[in-house]
PDB file of all heavy atoms in Angstrom:
ATOM      1  N   LEU A 142       6.868  -9.742  -3.556  1.00  0.00           N
ATOM      2  CA  LEU A 142       6.658 -10.612  -2.400  1.00  0.00           C
ATOM      3  C   LEU A 142       7.732 -11.704  -2.336  1.00  0.00           C
ATOM      4  O   LEU A 142       8.231 -12.042  -1.252  1.00  0.00           O
ATOM      5  CB  LEU A 142       5.268 -11.248  -2.472  1.00  0.00           C
ATOM      6  CG  LEU A 142       4.080 -10.283  -2.387  1.00  0.00           C
ATOM      7  CD1 LEU A 142       2.772 -11.028  -2.626  1.00  0.00           C
ATOM      8  CD2 LEU A 142       4.051  -9.575  -1.037  1.00  0.00           C
ATOM      9  N   HIS A 143       8.075 -12.241  -3.499  1.00  0.00           N
ATOM     10  CA  HIS A 143       9.053 -13.324  -3.548  1.00  0.00           C
ATOM     11  C   HIS A 143      10.450 -12.846  -3.155  1.00  0.00           C
ATOM     12  O   HIS A 143      11.162 -13.523  -2.390  1.00  0.00           O
ATOM     13  CB  HIS A 143       9.079 -13.917  -4.958  1.00  0.00           C
ATOM     14  CG  HIS A 143      10.209 -14.887  -5.189  1.00  0.00           C
ATOM     15  ND1 HIS A 143      10.286 -16.108  -4.539  1.00  0.00           N
ATOM     16  CD2 HIS A 143      11.313 -14.804  -5.978  1.00  0.00           C
ATOM     17  CE1 HIS A 143      11.384 -16.737  -4.927  1.00  0.00           C
ATOM     18  NE2 HIS A 143      12.019 -15.970  -5.788  1.00  0.00           N
ATOM     19  N   MET A 144      10.852 -11.690  -3.666  1.00  0.00           N
ATOM     20  CA  MET A 144      12.203 -11.212  -3.418  1.00  0.00           C
ATOM     21  C   MET A 144      12.369 -10.626  -2.019  1.00  0.00           C
ATOM     22  O   MET A 144      13.397 -10.820  -1.362  1.00  0.00           O
ATOM     23  CB  MET A 144      12.575 -10.150  -4.471  1.00  0.00           C
ATOM     24  CG  MET A 144      12.605 -10.670  -5.894  1.00  0.00           C
ATOM     25  SD  MET A 144      13.840 -11.975  -6.163  1.00  0.00           S
ATOM     26  CE  MET A 144      15.355 -11.044  -5.918  1.00  0.00           C
ATOM     27  N   ILE A 197       1.558  -7.023   2.559  1.00  0.00           N
ATOM     28  CA  ILE A 197       1.031  -8.230   3.194  1.00  0.00           C
ATOM     29  C   ILE A 197      -0.371  -7.963   3.731  1.00  0.00           C
ATOM     30  O   ILE A 197      -1.240  -8.845   3.693  1.00  0.00           O
ATOM     31  CB  ILE A 197       1.966  -8.697   4.316  1.00  0.00           C
ATOM     32  CG1 ILE A 197       3.390  -8.887   3.778  1.00  0.00           C
ATOM     33  CG2 ILE A 197       1.460  -9.995   4.928  1.00  0.00           C
ATOM     34  CD1 ILE A 197       3.489  -9.835   2.602  1.00  0.00           C
ATOM     35  N   ARG A 204      -9.767 -11.873   2.278  1.00  0.00           N
ATOM     36  CA  ARG A 204     -10.439 -12.967   2.987  1.00  0.00           C
ATOM     37  C   ARG A 204     -11.765 -13.353   2.303  1.00  0.00           C
ATOM     38  O   ARG A 204     -12.087 -14.538   2.184  1.00  0.00           O
ATOM     39  CB  ARG A 204     -10.708 -12.567   4.433  1.00  0.00           C
ATOM     40  CG  ARG A 204     -11.475 -13.610   5.260  1.00  0.00           C
ATOM     41  CD  ARG A 204     -10.710 -14.934   5.301  1.00  0.00           C
ATOM     42  NE  ARG A 204     -11.499 -16.027   5.812  1.00  0.00           N
ATOM     43  CZ  ARG A 204     -11.346 -16.547   7.039  1.00  0.00           C
ATOM     44  NH1 ARG A 204     -10.437 -16.039   7.862  1.00  0.00           N
ATOM     45  NH2 ARG A 204     -12.091 -17.553   7.430  1.00  0.00           N
ATOM     46  N   LEU A 222      -5.286 -25.620  -9.804  1.00  0.00           N
ATOM     47  CA  LEU A 222      -4.828 -24.252  -9.573  1.00  0.00           C
ATOM     48  C   LEU A 222      -3.312 -24.172  -9.441  1.00  0.00           C
ATOM     49  O   LEU A 222      -2.706 -23.166  -9.821  1.00  0.00           O
ATOM     50  CB  LEU A 222      -5.475 -23.686  -8.301  1.00  0.00           C
ATOM     51  CG  LEU A 222      -6.915 -23.177  -8.417  1.00  0.00           C
ATOM     52  CD1 LEU A 222      -7.401 -22.642  -7.079  1.00  0.00           C
ATOM     53  CD2 LEU A 222      -7.018 -22.111  -9.485  1.00  0.00           C
ATOM     54  N   ASP A 224      -1.133 -26.418 -10.727  1.00  0.00           N
ATOM     55  CA  ASP A 224      -0.433 -27.172 -11.770  1.00  0.00           C
ATOM     56  C   ASP A 224       0.025 -26.218 -12.869  1.00  0.00           C
ATOM     57  O   ASP A 224      -0.800 -25.541 -13.488  1.00  0.00           O
ATOM     58  CB  ASP A 224      -1.352 -28.248 -12.361  1.00  0.00           C
ATOM     59  CG  ASP A 224      -0.566 -29.296 -13.129  1.00  0.00           C
ATOM     60  OD1 ASP A 224       0.281 -28.905 -13.957  1.00  0.00           O
ATOM     61  OD2 ASP A 224      -0.782 -30.492 -12.892  1.00  0.00           O
ATOM     62  N   ALA A 264      -8.539 -20.562 -26.965  1.00  0.00           N
ATOM     63  CA  ALA A 264      -8.157 -19.394 -26.165  1.00  0.00           C
ATOM     64  C   ALA A 264      -8.274 -18.098 -26.956  1.00  0.00           C
ATOM     65  O   ALA A 264      -8.535 -17.033 -26.392  1.00  0.00           O
ATOM     66  CB  ALA A 264      -6.723 -19.564 -25.653  1.00  0.00           C
ATOM     67  N   LEU A 266     -10.550 -17.067 -28.653  1.00  0.00           N
ATOM     68  CA  LEU A 266     -11.913 -16.522 -28.606  1.00  0.00           C
ATOM     69  C   LEU A 266     -12.199 -15.813 -27.292  1.00  0.00           C
ATOM     70  O   LEU A 266     -13.268 -15.215 -27.134  1.00  0.00           O
ATOM     71  CB  LEU A 266     -12.935 -17.648 -28.807  1.00  0.00           C
ATOM     72  CG  LEU A 266     -12.811 -18.458 -30.108  1.00  0.00           C
ATOM     73  CD1 LEU A 266     -13.831 -19.579 -30.123  1.00  0.00           C
ATOM     74  CD2 LEU A 266     -12.983 -17.549 -31.321  1.00  0.00           C
ATOM     75  N   LEU A 267     -11.243 -15.870 -26.352  1.00  0.00           N
ATOM     76  CA  LEU A 267     -11.430 -15.297 -25.020  1.00  0.00           C
ATOM     77  C   LEU A 267     -10.715 -13.954 -24.910  1.00  0.00           C
ATOM     78  O   LEU A 267      -9.668 -13.741 -25.544  1.00  0.00           O
ATOM     79  CB  LEU A 267     -10.890 -16.253 -23.954  1.00  0.00           C
ATOM     80  CG  LEU A 267     -11.492 -17.662 -23.936  1.00  0.00           C
ATOM     81  CD1 LEU A 267     -10.748 -18.546 -22.934  1.00  0.00           C
ATOM     82  CD2 LEU A 267     -12.977 -17.605 -23.598  1.00  0.00           C
ATOM     83  N   LEU A 276      -8.335  -9.910 -27.948  1.00  0.00           N
ATOM     84  CA  LEU A 276      -8.532 -11.316 -27.662  1.00  0.00           C
ATOM     85  C   LEU A 276      -7.187 -11.960 -27.324  1.00  0.00           C
ATOM     86  O   LEU A 276      -6.128 -11.433 -27.670  1.00  0.00           O
ATOM     87  CB  LEU A 276      -9.156 -12.022 -28.864  1.00  0.00           C
ATOM     88  CG  LEU A 276     -10.580 -11.584 -29.248  1.00  0.00           C
ATOM     89  CD1 LEU A 276     -11.034 -12.297 -30.509  1.00  0.00           C
ATOM     90  CD2 LEU A 276     -11.558 -11.823 -28.106  1.00  0.00           C
ATOM     91  N   HIS A 292       4.952 -42.787 -31.298  1.00  0.00           N
ATOM     92  CA  HIS A 292       5.326 -41.495 -31.877  1.00  0.00           C
ATOM     93  C   HIS A 292       6.780 -41.164 -31.533  1.00  0.00           C
ATOM     94  O   HIS A 292       7.070 -40.770 -30.395  1.00  0.00           O
ATOM     95  CB  HIS A 292       4.400 -40.387 -31.365  1.00  0.00           C
ATOM     96  CG  HIS A 292       3.037 -40.399 -31.996  1.00  0.00           C
ATOM     97  ND1 HIS A 292       2.701 -39.579 -33.049  1.00  0.00           N
ATOM     98  CD2 HIS A 292       1.946 -41.140 -31.721  1.00  0.00           C
ATOM     99  CE1 HIS A 292       1.438 -39.812 -33.400  1.00  0.00           C
ATOM    100  NE2 HIS A 292       0.967 -40.751 -32.603  1.00  0.00           N
ATOM    101  N   ASP A 299      10.373 -36.312 -24.820  1.00  0.00           N
ATOM    102  CA  ASP A 299      10.670 -36.823 -23.479  1.00  0.00           C
ATOM    103  C   ASP A 299      12.169 -36.734 -23.184  1.00  0.00           C
ATOM    104  O   ASP A 299      12.578 -36.372 -22.073  1.00  0.00           O
ATOM    105  CB  ASP A 299      10.210 -38.274 -23.346  1.00  0.00           C
ATOM    106  CG  ASP A 299       8.695 -38.402 -23.248  1.00  0.00           C
ATOM    107  OD1 ASP A 299       8.039 -37.392 -22.936  1.00  0.00           O
ATOM    108  OD2 ASP A 299       8.174 -39.509 -23.479  1.00  0.00           O
ATOM    109  N   VAL A 327      23.768 -27.519 -25.090  1.00  0.00           N
ATOM    110  CA  VAL A 327      22.633 -27.909 -25.923  1.00  0.00           C
ATOM    111  C   VAL A 327      21.329 -27.330 -25.383  1.00  0.00           C
ATOM    112  O   VAL A 327      20.482 -26.833 -26.134  1.00  0.00           O
ATOM    113  CB  VAL A 327      22.524 -29.449 -26.008  1.00  0.00           C
ATOM    114  CG1 VAL A 327      21.302 -29.864 -26.813  1.00  0.00           C
ATOM    115  CG2 VAL A 327      23.794 -30.030 -26.606  1.00  0.00           C
ATOM    116  N   ALA A 335      12.598 -20.807 -26.228  1.00  0.00           N
ATOM    117  CA  ALA A 335      11.215 -21.034 -25.812  1.00  0.00           C
ATOM    118  C   ALA A 335      10.653 -19.843 -25.060  1.00  0.00           C
ATOM    119  O   ALA A 335       9.482 -19.499 -25.206  1.00  0.00           O
ATOM    120  CB  ALA A 335      11.139 -22.292 -24.930  1.00  0.00           C
ATOM    121  N   GLU A 342      16.437  -9.620 -25.228  1.00  0.00           N
ATOM    122  CA  GLU A 342      16.152  -8.185 -25.193  1.00  0.00           C
ATOM    123  C   GLU A 342      14.685  -7.879 -25.493  1.00  0.00           C
ATOM    124  O   GLU A 342      14.198  -6.790 -25.211  1.00  0.00           O
ATOM    125  CB  GLU A 342      17.050  -7.453 -26.196  1.00  0.00           C
ATOM    126  CG  GLU A 342      16.767  -7.760 -27.652  1.00  0.00           C
ATOM    127  CD  GLU A 342      17.443  -9.052 -28.110  1.00  0.00           C
ATOM    128  OE1 GLU A 342      18.104  -9.700 -27.269  1.00  0.00           O
ATOM    129  OE2 GLU A 342      17.319  -9.395 -29.311  1.00  0.00           O
TER     130      GLU A 342
END
Side-chain angles (χ1 to χ4, degrees):
L142 296 174
H143 170 67
M144 297 298 294
I197 305 304
R204 177 59 192 255
L222 281 180
D224 197 312
L266 302 177
L267 303 173
L276 295 176
H292 284 262
D299 287 342
V327 177
E342 67 277 1

